[in-house]
Amino acid sequence: MSSQFGNRLKVSIFGQSHGDAVGVVVDGLPAGFHMDKAALARFMARRAPGGTLATPRSEADTPRFLSGLVDGVTCGAPLCAVIENTNTRSGDYADLSDLPRPSHADYPAAVKYHGFADARGGGHFSGRLTAPVCVAGGIALQILQKNGITVGAHIASVGDVHDTPFDPVALTADDLIAPAARTPAVLDPTAGEAMATLIASVAGDGDSIGGVVECAAIGLPAGLGAPLYDGIENRLAANLFGIPAVKGVEFGAGFAAAAMRGSEHNDPYRRAGMGVVTATNHAGGVLGGITTGMPLVVRAAFKPTPSIAKEQTTLRLSNGELDTLTVRGRHDPCVVLRAVPVVEAVTALTILDMLLEEKGEITV
């Protein structure tokens, strides 16, 4: 099913942006885990709409758990959570069945689903569906933390403004956690201020802008994954591309490796205590689809929000003629701001799924 991912830990997302609710079913969570609801609420708040640089759509994003928990403890049954949609304006999308938005899913969805796709707020293609992903991912982050694995992310860039990158060799838990306390979520506050200024300027022009989220995980054991088609890069890339607006994924040096020599890109092995490390980490913590024990480093590139206030040209499907379109509704001028916890959530869920698959049992 296209709205489900995971092997041992199965995550299924349901709902539409302007339906009664969006939600998630997670099958395979270990029983006996005491969920920290306050920590989950703080995590959800990082993705929630609102604020001067995000969509003004106001949603509490408070999940209601229908199953899988007893007194806040996982019981082994599939966990189901719903988040009600309370602040929709569906009338803003009335014309989209005939005037598809450029670079949005309106047209291909109309073709695939024979004109019955829900275009209101983007329907099932909307970034609104990342809210239930964060419910599941927020729980996965807590479980990983109990197993000595920390996952965190920051905004690597917005347009041509760049944050300080993660240190791929000497990365600490504090480095991974620090950006979550800042808005925008960056390591360098000066870069964050420049990003905010750029986004405000773009929004003032009725336009949008893209960016990159860098995510990393430390504490991963060496040997997690598999060669060829079931490696950790394969699984993580597939799941990250399920986040709306993601157009590129790279690991370690990524595309920059194409301009390097082998002598520059190779990561020499070193002894560290009783373990093995590498002096550099251009591989991003993965070789042959299998973790090396070094920090796992991945970046996801997000396109500019396609729904912009500027007048655009599109095709009126009913008569096949060009027409103009002014998109109404409430949209983020830069989705990257709210995408940081989503990338963390998907990364945590993918890692937890693979840990459960290979180890069977983990600490709860």
Side-chain angles (χ1 to χ4, degrees):
M1 294 175 62
S2 66
S3 300
Q4 177 179 296
F5 67 92
N7 292 348
R8 175 73 181 268
L9 185 72
K10 297 184 183 296
V11 181
S12 182
I13 306 299
F14 62 87
Q16 295 113 255
S17 179
H18 286 207
D20 291 339
V22 292
V24 61
V25 176
V26 186
D27 196 355
L29 284 172
F33 174 69
H34 293 252
M35 184 182 70
D36 185 337
K37 287 191 175 182
L40 180 61
R42 291 191 296 271
F43 182 70
M44 295 294 297
R46 292 171 54 203
R47 193 226 69 95
T52 57
L53 296 177
T55 170
R57 177 175 175 176
S58 179
E59 298 282 7
D61 277 6
T62 302
R64 180 163 60 94
F65 292 94
L66 305 183
S67 66
L69 292 176
V70 177
D71 297 327
V73 181
T74 56
C75 64
L79 181 142
C80 179
V82 295
I83 299 173
E84 294 182 358
N85 293 324
T86 61
N87 189 224
T88 59
R89 291 196 329 210
S90 299
D92 290 339
Y93 302 88
D95 298 331
L96 299 188
S97 59
D98 198 29
L99 289 169
R101 290 169 290 181
S103 291
H104 211 290
D106 300 334
Y107 172 69
V111 173
K112 182 172 182 62
Y113 299 113
H114 312 294
F116 293 104
D118 185 359
R120 301 170 303 165
H124 192 60
F125 298 88
S126 170
R128 179 73 182 141
L129 275 297
T130 61
V133 171
C134 282
V135 175
I139 295 171
L141 284 164
Q142 293 182 29
I143 296 175
L144 290 179
Q145 194 71 50
K146 292 201 69 170
N147 286 268
I149 298 170
T150 303
V151 176
H154 71 117
I155 301 173
S157 65
V158 170
D160 59 359
V161 179
H162 295 263
D163 187 25
T164 303
F166 282 142
D167 185 328
V169 175
L171 194 58
T172 68
D174 287 342
D175 295 331
L176 293 175
I177 295 170
R182 301 190 180 105
T183 303
V186 292
L187 293 169
D188 179 5
T190 302
E193 292 172 5
M195 290 176 186
T197 299
L198 175 59
I199 294 168
S201 175
V202 167
D205 291 338
D207 217 330
S208 64
I209 194 163
V212 176
V213 173
E214 182 178 50
C215 185
I218 60 173
L220 282 171
L224 182 66
L228 298 182
Y229 306 115
D230 203 26
I232 193 164
E233 291 162 311
N234 308 60
R235 301 265 287 268
L236 188 50
N239 296 342
L240 287 169
F241 274 117
I243 302 173
V246 169
K247 299 300 289 183
V249 173
E250 65 175 8
F251 294 83
F255 281 95
M260 299 170 71
R261 297 189 177 194
S263 55
E264 297 174 291
H265 185 265
N266 288 350
D267 298 319
Y269 289 105
R270 299 283 188 271
R271 171 68 70 180
M274 298 300 292
V276 175
V277 299
T278 55
T280 54
N281 189 20
H282 296 116
V286 185
L287 290 169
I290 303 169
T291 56
T292 65
M294 294 296 289
L296 172 67
V297 182
V298 59
R299 284 174 293 276
F302 288 77
K303 69 179 182 180
T305 313
S307 294
I308 57 176
K310 282 181 176 290
E311 186 177 89
Q312 302 175 81
T313 300
T314 189
L315 192 69
R316 184 172 288 279
L317 299 179
S318 59
N319 60 19
E321 296 180 359
L322 291 179
D323 206 337
T324 57
L325 170 68
T326 301
V327 177
R328 294 178 292 172
R330 298 159 294 177
H331 309 282
D332 293 91
C334 180
V335 298
V336 173
L337 292 180
R338 295 168 56 212
V340 174
V342 184
V343 173
E344 292 177 5
V346 171
T347 301
L349 286 164
T350 305
I351 291 172
L352 181 57
D353 179 35
M354 298 185 76
L355 279 174
L356 289 169
E357 192 174 9
E358 294 201 11
K359 291 182 175 295
E361 297 293 334
I362 60 175
T363 302
V364 294

